[in-house]
């Protein structure tokens, strides 16, 4: 991911010292944590640039996300989806299938679908505190804001906020503690909602997510859940999940699909009942 960010944002990500760039290539999370300790005021502008990068991701007509949304709509599936990704691909794939994403409210199967965002997203902004990027600088891990949040989907408006607002979107830093500057209550609420969804589910299908055990807000609810878990993240990820599940939930049903999303798409749909 680092090289893509450096190419997208040469003045920021692309101008980091070679030794810092090497650390990001080796372990992005650890490097972000380190940068927050040594150059704390440089992290919020980098976070804003990362949000701009992910905002540009759009689903193609052939996207597996769109195919998944179509299956969900056709089956009038009553479940919920959660994503840790910062881009909007899943959200943007729901509309073409006739589904409206909702956050934190009741859904109507076949018409609306709950979207849970434990790490926020690149286009959600907190209105509780505003300041100009030219007038305010702050340490990334030492400041939090709170208040109402808004979604900005218009590219020009999004670019305006990214370039001129000191505070990044409501989007957790990609570092081990997943700290977040903006929208503290929103993030806390979404993480609590994820814990509730995981605890109450009878089946959890996890796709493309690494088992990072320090992400306790993600994996502890799964460990406590009585749900059967179907996991798909390639052979390496499958090995990590298998080792974790044997230790964390040995009495529960855990199924590993050994290939990636595209190859296991039909098996994932069968696991979801769609």
């Amino acid at each position: 991911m680092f090289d893509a960010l450096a190419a997208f944002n040469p003045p920021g990500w692309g101008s980091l010292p070679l030794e810092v760039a090497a650390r990001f290539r080796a372990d992005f999370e650890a490097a972000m944590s380190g940068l927050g300790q040594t150059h704390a005021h440089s992290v919020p502008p980098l976070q804003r640039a990362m949000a701009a990068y992910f905002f540009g991701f759009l689903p193609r007509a052939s996207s597996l996300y769109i195919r998944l949304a179509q299956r969900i709509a056709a089956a009038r599936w009553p479940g919920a989806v959660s994503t840790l990704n910062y881009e909007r691909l899943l959200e943007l794939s729901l509309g073409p299938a006739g589904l409206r994403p909702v956050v934190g409210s009741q859904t109507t199967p076949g018409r609306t679908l709950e979207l849970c965002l434990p790490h926020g997203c690149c286009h959600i902004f907190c209105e509780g505190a505003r300041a100009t990027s030219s007038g305010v600088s702050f340490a990334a891990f030492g400041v939090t804001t709170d208040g109402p949040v808004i979604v900005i989907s218009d590219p020009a408006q999004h670019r305006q906020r990214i370039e001129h607002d000191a505070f990044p979107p409501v989007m957790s830093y990609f570092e081990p503690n997943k700290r977040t500057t903006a929208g503290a209550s929103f993030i806390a609420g979404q993480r609590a909602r994820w814990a509730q969804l995981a605890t109450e589910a009878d089946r959890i299908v996890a796709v493309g997510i690494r088992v990072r055990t320090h992400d306790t807000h993600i994996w502890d609810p799964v460990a406590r859940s009585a749900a059967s878990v179907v996991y798909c993240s390639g052979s390496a990820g499958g090995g990590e999940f298998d080792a974790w599940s044997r230790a964390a939930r040995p009495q529960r049903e855990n199924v590993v699909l050994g290939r990636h999303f595209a190859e296991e798409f039909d098996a994932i749909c069968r696991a979801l009942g769609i």
Side-chain angles (χ1 to χ4, degrees), residues 25-136:
R25 291 188 182 98
D27 187 333
F28 198 102
E29 282 197 341
M32 181 65 89
S33 181
L35 194 65
Q37 300 301 318
T38 61
H39 297 82
H41 286 248
S42 70
V43 175
L46 293 175
Q47 184 80 341
R48 299 200 313 268
M50 181 187 287
Y53 170 71
F54 283 116
F55 185 82
F57 284 34
L58 301 172
R60 300 191 179 105
S62 60
S63 167
L64 290 175
Y65 285 121
I66 290 180
R67 289 176 57 195
L68 181 66
Q70 290 169 339
R71 294 274 194 105
I72 288 172
R76 299 179 63 84
W77 186 66
V81 294
S82 179
T83 178
L84 305 183
N85 294 349
Y86 300 134
E87 30 76 2
R88 305 174 293 154
L89 289 176
L90 185 54
E91 176 189 336
L92 294 177
S93 297
L94 299 180
L99 292 168
R100 181 171 59 87
V102 299
V103 175
S105 59
Q106 292 185 338
T107 61
T108 302
R111 295 177 58 191
T112 59
L113 181 70
E114 180 176 0
L115 186 59
C116 183
L117 303 168
H119 292 169
C121 195
C122 65
H123 67 325
I124 301 175
F125 291 83
C126 179
E127 298 293 89
R130 297 287 298 275
T132 63
S133 57
S134 60
V136 172

Side-chain angles (χ1 to χ4, degrees), residues 2 24 61 85 90 108 116 120 123 134 147 175-176 201 210 214 233 263:
F2 173 79
F24 270 100
N85 294 349
L90 185 54
T108 302
C116 183
H123 67 325
S134 60
E175 52 90 24
R210 291 281 304 277
H214 52 259
S233 192
E263 293 83 10

Side-chain angles (χ1 to χ4, degrees), residues 141-157:
F141 303 152
V143 173
T144 58
T145 73
D146 206 1
V149 301
I150 62 171
V151 170
I152 296 181
S153 300
D154 178 78
Q157 294 179 20

Side-chain angles (χ1 to χ4, degrees), residues 139-241:
F141 303 152
V143 173
T144 58
T145 73
D146 206 1
V149 301
I150 62 171
V151 170
I152 296 181
S153 300
D154 178 78
Q157 294 179 20
H158 189 270
R159 183 168 59 253
Q160 174 75 11
R161 288 292 291 261
I162 291 295
E163 293 178 355
H164 299 291
D165 196 334
F167 298 107
V170 182
M171 193 174 99
S172 300
Y173 295 106
F174 192 48
E175 52 90 24
N177 294 310
K178 302 303 183 295
R179 286 168 284 193
T180 314
T181 290
S185 292
F186 178 84
I187 292 295
Q190 287 296 285
R191 293 181 184 181
R193 179 58 177 153
W194 160 250
Q196 180 184 14
L197 288 169
T199 301
E200 295 177 355
D202 54 25
R203 175 161 293 182
I204 298 169
V205 179
V207 179
I209 174 176
R210 291 281 304 277
V211 179
R212 293 183 168 91
T213 53
H214 52 259
D215 285 344
T216 55
H217 58 286
I218 299 300
W219 291 103
D220 282 2
V222 179
R224 294 192 300 267
S225 177
S228 63
V229 176
V230 178
Y231 180 90
C232 173
S233 192
S235 58
E240 291 176 351
F241 174 79

